Amino acid sequence: MFVQILGSAAGGGFPQWNCNCANCAGFRDGSLRATARTQSSIAISDDGVNWVLCNTSPDIRAQLQSFAPMQPGRALRDTGIGAIILMDSQIDHTTGLLMLREGCPHQVWCTDMVHEDLSSGFPLFTMLTHWNGGLEWNRIKLDQSFSVPACPSLRFTPLPLRSAAPPYSPHRFDPHPGDNIGLIVEDLNTGGKLFYAPGLGKVDAPLLEIMADSDCLLVDGTLWDDDEMQRRGAGTRTGREMGHLAQNGPGGMLEVLEQLPNQRKVLIHINNTNPILDEDSPQRAELDRRHVEVAYDGMSIVL
C-alpha cells in the first residue's frame, strides 16, 4: 500500500492567509524554522498508478500538480484519481470537489450523514450534476467494510468517530454516527494496515484496540493544548468543542499513543497555531523523544 500525504495542515493551511499568530508571522519573516503546509488530504494506492483520494481540500489542484502519479498521461484527458472517500462534510475536506469538476463524473464514497450535508446545507452533489453528471454516490455503511474498483487489493473499514457536524449541517447541534469517520485501510496482498483519523475527538477502549492492530497511525494533530486557540487569540472554541483531541494534557493524544509502542505514529491535520510546527520548539522535541512524527506535504508511507 502506498500512502501519499498531499496536505498536512488543518483548515486554512500554514501559514494561514489572514493569520499573524506567532507561527504564521514567524514563518513569513523567517524567524521560525518551519515548513509550509496545505490543507489536509491523502491519497492511497495498491499499485502506484490508480489512487483513492481521502478528502479533497481547497488546495487540491496544487496538491495534484505536486504529485506526478496523479497525472499518468494515458489519454488526452487523464488522472490518477480512481475514487474519492470523504471522511466528513467539512469545507476544508470537500471544497476541492469543485476544483475537480472538469473530471466529472467522480466516484465518491461517503456516509448517509455526509451525503445529506452535501445535498442540503452545502449542496455539492446538486451543484456538480451540471458537469457531466457530477458525483456518483457510493454509500458507506458504518457496519461493513468496502472496496473500490480502482484499488481492488485495498479493504476499507469505516469507524464512526466522535466529532461535530459543520456549521451549515441541518443537524449541527444534533450529532449522528457518520458525521465523521476514521478508516482502517488494509492491503490484502501485503497485510499492511493503516489507521487514518484526521478528526478524532475521543479514544475509548474499543478504538484503542483497533489502533493497536494497525501498523501505522495517521491521526489528528490539530492542537497541542485544548485551549490553544483561545490563549493565542485565534479562536473562541476549545479543541474538544471542535471535535479534536489535543496532544498535551491528561487523556491527550500523546498519552493515547504512549499505549501503542509497536506502531508508526504520525500526526496530520495540524493547525497553524500548534507549536509543533516550530521545528525548534520544546513541543517538537517532545514528539521526537516519543518517536511521534509530524506529517508534511509530500510525505510518503509504504505498508
Side-chain angles (χ1 to χ4, degrees), residues 10-117:
F14 174 70
Q16 184 170 305
W17 64 277
N18 68 334
C19 185
N20 289 306
C21 71
N23 283 345
C24 293
F27 179 85
R28 291 192 187 99
D29 67 21
S31 62
L32 188 83
R33 190 165 70 93
T35 301
R37 288 168 163 83
T38 59
Q39 296 167 92
S40 177
S41 179
I42 70 171
I44 305 174
S45 176
D46 59 2
D47 62 5
V49 178
N50 300 291
W51 295 81
V52 177
L53 287 183
C54 293
N55 293 334
T56 56
S57 90
D59 302 313
I60 191 66
R61 185 181 178 278
Q63 292 170 348
L64 298 181
Q65 188 171 346
S66 68
F67 185 48
M70 282 300 181
Q71 184 50 266
R74 298 163 294 192
L76 180 63
R77 293 288 179 96
D78 193 22
T79 178
I81 302 171
I84 299 168
I85 297 175
L86 300 177
M87 314 292 286
D88 54 46
S89 55
Q90 300 286 348
I91 280 180
D92 49 318
H93 290 160
T94 59
T95 308
L97 291 169
L98 294 171
M99 289 68 175
L100 299 177
R101 62 191 180 276
E102 294 90 351
C104 287
H106 292 291
Q107 297 293 321
V108 177
W109 270 257
C110 65
T111 65
D112 287 324
M113 303 315 300
V114 170
H115 184 259
E116 178 184 314
D117 287 348

Side-chain angles (χ1 to χ4, degrees), residues 79 140 145:
T79 178
I140 292 179
S145 300

